[in-house]
């Protein structure tokens, strides 16, 4: 029933998101932003204006890069900042499932339709994957359910709906981590490897691969210590260590392979090009000349980054085109962007602080064992403070610190919301801890009980507590008002601003 509730709520929020972006895009005039806008080189067909009117809000800002790559491939140098998995998925949908519409919709129109359908389906998968991961890690059904329902109204909603790779990355990451938690290491590596083909920060997931198998090896060694003797014990110890090392080496190689292959493709494209300018459509070549975009040219000199000892195109693009670097964003004029990122940063800080306060000794031992615990780590205490959550809090904190110090800080909201379950776990934990209407006991006001009577007289909480809380928002605790207010405001504001080319996170 819980999975069904998550799927239904995710489907409802996806439908509302598509509807609202169409309404906002029709009512609010588009801002003339200085963003990537390639010319249309294909004649529109009869249904293209209608699709553009309904779904055009999904194609703004970075979404235009993904759509351009799906249609034209990697033509401009800065296109390589966007990893290839989402464009491949969109073009695959356009050329297979949506191919019957090719007489009425151009490639561009089918790609927009693929964004709406594909990201909606991927979001549903990511919500289910998050619920499964939350059940496995938290060992608390109510907390897992509430976390997944909060994810359905994520503050990064518009990026989960528009032509961005966040939904795809979240589905693969949460699914891969669930497989890793269940001990399916090879399948987890494949899922996390594919996630790296969607976003570069998939490389950070290597940390889970190094940590969780090591945790299992320590548990095995503790068992061997009491059940085996002599040379057999030494053999088991050595085998456990060798298993961890092999898993770390092979798993790291598998997860990092898409990133390395993509960088090699970029190197071959620009450092040893085989394309002449005559083969590039004139309109696209003209845009490159006006904007200063670099295109591959077999007759021209290679760019300077090709001469570096480690010629990484991705690092070059982040440095030159987006001015990404350590503390580069710490300027007074960027203060509004820091304010936009503050709520997500606050959740990350609260999660790390609360977890350390609850488990100081375990954190100092890197979560590898519990002090004085004789039962091992197989049966952790249910809830946010159990030992299995440790590595996720560390991962979330690493993302928070890196995103604050080395990235455009406003992207922190979607950066963390699509990569880590911790913002939703800590939000659900705070709601269950501070909201009387979610407690099984009665509240002081009998007129605002969320609990209802079943036919046998037992009390039960409605299946979707988020929807049940909204009519009583004014009587909710300040914590509930803050969390739900943040999630819902960013959920709606993101659609209104981003879908009209206005600045957002």
């Amino acid at each position: 029933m819980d999975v069904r509730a998550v799927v239904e709520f995710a489907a409802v929020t996806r439908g509302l998101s598509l509807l609202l972006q169409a309404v906002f895009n029709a009512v609010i005039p588009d801002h003339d932003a200085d963003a990537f806008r390639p010319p249309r080189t294909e004649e529109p067909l009869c249904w293209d204006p209608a699709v553009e009117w309904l779904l055009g809000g999904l194609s703004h800002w970075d979404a235009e890069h993904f759509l351009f790559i799906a249609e034209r491939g990697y033509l401009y140098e800065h296109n390589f900042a966007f990893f290839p998995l989402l464009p491949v998925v969109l073009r695959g949908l356009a050329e297979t499932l949506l191919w019957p519409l090719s007489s009425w919709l151009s490639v561009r129109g089918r790609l927009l339709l693929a964004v709406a359908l594909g990201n909606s389906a991927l979001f549903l998968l990511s919500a289910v994957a998050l619920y499964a991961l939350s059940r496995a890690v938290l060992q608390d059904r109510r907390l897992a359910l509430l976390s997944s329902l909060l994810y359905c109204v994520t503050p990064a909603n518009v990026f989960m709906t528009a032509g961005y790779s966040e939904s795809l990355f979240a589905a693969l990451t949460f699914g891969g981590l669930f497989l890793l938690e269940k001990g399916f290491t090879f399948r987890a590596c494949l899922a996390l490897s594919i996630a790296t083909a969607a976003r570069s920060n998939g490389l950070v997931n290597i940390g889970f691969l190094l940590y969780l198998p090591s945790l299992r090896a320590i548990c095995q060694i503790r068992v061997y210590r009491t059940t085996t003797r002599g040379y057999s014990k030494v053999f088991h110890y050595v085998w456990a260590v060798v298993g961890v090392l092999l898993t770390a080496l092979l798993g790291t190689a598998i997860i990092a392979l898409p990133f390395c292959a993509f960088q090699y493709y970029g190197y071959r494209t620009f450092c040893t090009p085989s394309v002449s300018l005559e083969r590039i459509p004139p309109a696209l070549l003209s845009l490159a000349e006006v904007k200063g975009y670099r295109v591959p040219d077999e007759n021209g000199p290679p760019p300077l980054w090709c001469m570096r000892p480690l010629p990484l195109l991705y690092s070059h693009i982040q440095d030159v085109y987006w001015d990404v670097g350590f503390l580069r964003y710490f300027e007074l004029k960027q203060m509004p962007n820091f304010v936009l990122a503050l709520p997500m940063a606050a959740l990350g800080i609260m999660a790390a602080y609360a977890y350390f306060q609850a488990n100081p000794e375990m954190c100092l031992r890197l979560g590898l064992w519990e002090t004085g615990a004789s039962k091992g780590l197989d049966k952790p205490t249910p809830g946010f403070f159990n030992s299995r959550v440790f590595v996720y809090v560390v991962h979330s904190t690493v993302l928070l610190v890196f995103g604050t110090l080395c990235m455009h800080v406003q992207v922190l909201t979607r950066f963390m919301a699509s990569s880590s379950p911790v913002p939703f776990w800590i939000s659900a934990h705070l709601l269950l801890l501070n909201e009387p209407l979610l407690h099984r006991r009665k509240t002081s006001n009998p007129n605002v009980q969320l609990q209802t009577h079943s036919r046998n007289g037992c009390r039960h909480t409605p299946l979707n507590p988020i929807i049940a809380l909204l009519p009583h928002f004014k009587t909710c605790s300040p914590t509930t008002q803050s969390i739900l207010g943040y999630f819902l405001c960013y959920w709606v504001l993101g659609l209104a601003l981003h879908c009209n080319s206005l600045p957002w996170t």
Side-chain angles (χ1 to χ4, degrees):
M1 291 296 291
D2 287 350
V3 175
R4 180 179 176 181
V6 171
V7 172
E8 289 178 350
F9 195 44
V12 168
T13 58
R14 291 314 89 202
L16 281 175
S17 296
L18 292 174
L19 176 62
L20 287 176
Q21 69 82 27
V23 172
F24 289 141
N25 201 31
V27 172
I28 303 174
D30 282 355
H31 173 62
D32 186 16
D34 183 19
F36 180 62
R37 289 184 179 179
R40 305 283 183 262
T41 58
E42 186 182 16
E43 287 295 327
L45 300 179
C46 59
W47 287 3
D48 281 312
V51 170
E52 190 72 36
W53 184 79
L54 288 172
L55 303 177
L58 306 180
S59 66
H60 294 161
W61 294 110
D62 289 353
E64 196 64 75
H65 286 275
F66 286 109
L67 290 169
F68 178 79
I69 295 166
E71 184 177 0
R72 292 288 176 178
Y74 286 91
L75 176 62
Y76 303 124
E77 186 180 62
H78 66 292
N79 290 147
F80 278 83
F82 304 92
F83 278 48
L85 185 58
L86 180 63
V88 168
V89 170
L90 295 179
R91 189 59 185 251
L93 288 173
E95 298 297 340
T96 55
L97 183 65
L98 301 176
W99 176 252
L101 303 177
S102 58
S103 298
W104 302 279
L105 280 175
S106 65
V107 174
R108 164 80 180 191
R110 281 181 280 137
L111 288 174
L112 271 178
L113 198 54
V115 166
L117 297 176
N119 269 353
S120 296
L122 288 166
F123 186 85
L124 264 63
L125 289 175
S126 67
V128 172
L130 176 61
Y131 176 75
L133 175 64
S134 302
R135 284 295 303 269
V137 175
L138 301 174
Q139 300 289 302
D140 185 321
R141 185 190 66 82
R142 295 181 73 222
L143 189 57
L145 175 61
L146 187 55
S147 301
S148 304
L149 295 175
L150 283 171
Y151 174 75
C152 294
V153 288
T154 171
N157 171 56
V158 67
F159 303 103
M160 300 290 191
T161 309
Y164 281 64
S165 57
E166 268 70 10
S167 287
L168 177 60
F169 183 75
L172 290 166
T173 298
F174 296 153
L177 294 179
F178 169 72
L179 292 172
L180 198 57
E181 286 284 349
K182 290 298 183 180
F184 301 112
T185 305
F186 180 71
R187 280 180 271 183
C189 287
L190 290 179
L192 296 177
S193 176
I194 299 172
T196 307
R199 292 185 62 85
S200 62
N201 58 293
L203 291 172
V204 184
N205 292 330
I206 292 174
F208 290 103
L209 183 68
L210 300 178
Y211 182 85
L212 292 176
S214 300
L215 190 62
R216 293 193 196 97
I218 290 175
C219 291
Q220 290 174 358
I221 289 174
R222 292 170 64 184
V223 173
Y224 296 151
R225 186 189 305 170
T226 58
T227 59
T228 58
R229 296 180 180 179
Y231 292 108
S232 177
K233 180 185 293 187
V234 175
F235 172 79
H236 283 99
Y237 286 177
V238 172
W239 179 250
V241 173
V242 170
V244 170
L245 292 176
L246 288 176
T247 300
L249 290 174
L250 294 176
T252 298
I254 292 173
I255 294 175
L257 180 61
F259 179 87
C260 297
F262 187 54
Q263 297 312 299
Y264 178 71
Y265 172 61
Y267 177 85
R268 291 296 304 270
T269 300
F270 286 97
C271 300
T272 59
S274 58
V275 178
S276 62
L277 297 181
E278 291 77 13
R279 297 173 58 183
I280 300 176
L284 300 180
L285 189 59
S286 176
L287 177 67
E289 294 174 352
V290 171
K291 294 290 188 178
Y293 300 152
R294 181 182 290 276
V295 295
D297 181 12
E298 62 181 356
N299 299 317
L304 294 178
W305 63 265
C306 294
M307 311 303 175
R308 294 176 181 172
L310 187 61
L312 288 180
L313 177 53
Y314 185 76
S315 300
H316 166 75
I317 293 170
Q318 294 296 331
D319 177 32
V320 173
Y321 289 91
W322 273 271
D323 194 30
V324 171
F326 183 65
L327 298 183
R328 290 189 187 180
Y329 220 59
F330 280 70
E331 299 176 321
L332 188 60
K333 65 180 182 180
Q334 302 298 345
M335 187 60 67
N337 289 321
F338 278 87
V339 173
L340 280 177
L342 184 60
M344 183 59 71
L347 288 177
I349 293 170
M350 281 191 290
Y353 178 77
Y355 193 86
F356 181 80
Q357 286 290 101
N359 306 287
E361 294 184 3
M362 190 188 72
C363 290
L364 294 177
R365 291 170 171 80
L366 303 181
L368 295 176
W369 60 84
E370 295 180 21
T371 306
S374 59
K375 295 182 181 180
L377 298 175
D378 293 332
K379 296 181 180 179
T381 304
F384 180 74
F385 295 128
N386 82 64
S387 57
R388 289 187 177 183
V389 178
F390 171 79
V391 66
Y392 295 90
V393 172
V394 171
H395 173 256
S396 171
T397 305
V398 169
L399 294 180
L400 173 60
V401 172
F402 180 79
T404 302
L405 299 181
C406 303
M407 296 172 58
H408 291 185
V409 72
Q410 70 267 27
V411 308
L412 194 66
T413 302
R414 57 186 173 100
F415 181 58
M416 292 186 64
S418 63
S419 306
S420 171
V422 169
F424 308 102
W425 289 350
I426 186 63
S427 299
H429 169 77
L430 292 172
L431 287 182
L432 289 176
L433 188 66
N434 295 285
E435 180 48 62
L437 296 178
L438 293 176
H439 295 173
R440 291 187 175 91
R441 59 180 171 79
K442 290 184 178 181
T443 64
S444 58
N445 187 349
N447 296 322
V448 293
Q449 296 293 316
L450 299 188
Q451 297 167 332
T452 58
H453 289 284
S454 61
R455 292 180 180 178
N456 58 9
C458 297
R459 287 183 140 347
H460 65 86
T461 303
L463 209 52
N464 191 328
I466 303 298
I467 294 179
L469 281 172
L470 291 181
H472 311 292
F473 185 81
K474 291 183 179 180
T475 60
C476 288
S477 67
T479 300
T480 302
Q481 293 177 346
S482 299
I483 292 175
L484 288 186
Y486 163 52
F487 275 61
L488 294 175
C489 284
Y490 272 52
W491 195 87
V492 176
L493 279 176
L495 291 170
L497 297 177
H498 183 276
C499 293
N500 291 282
S501 297
L502 292 163
W504 188 238
T505 64

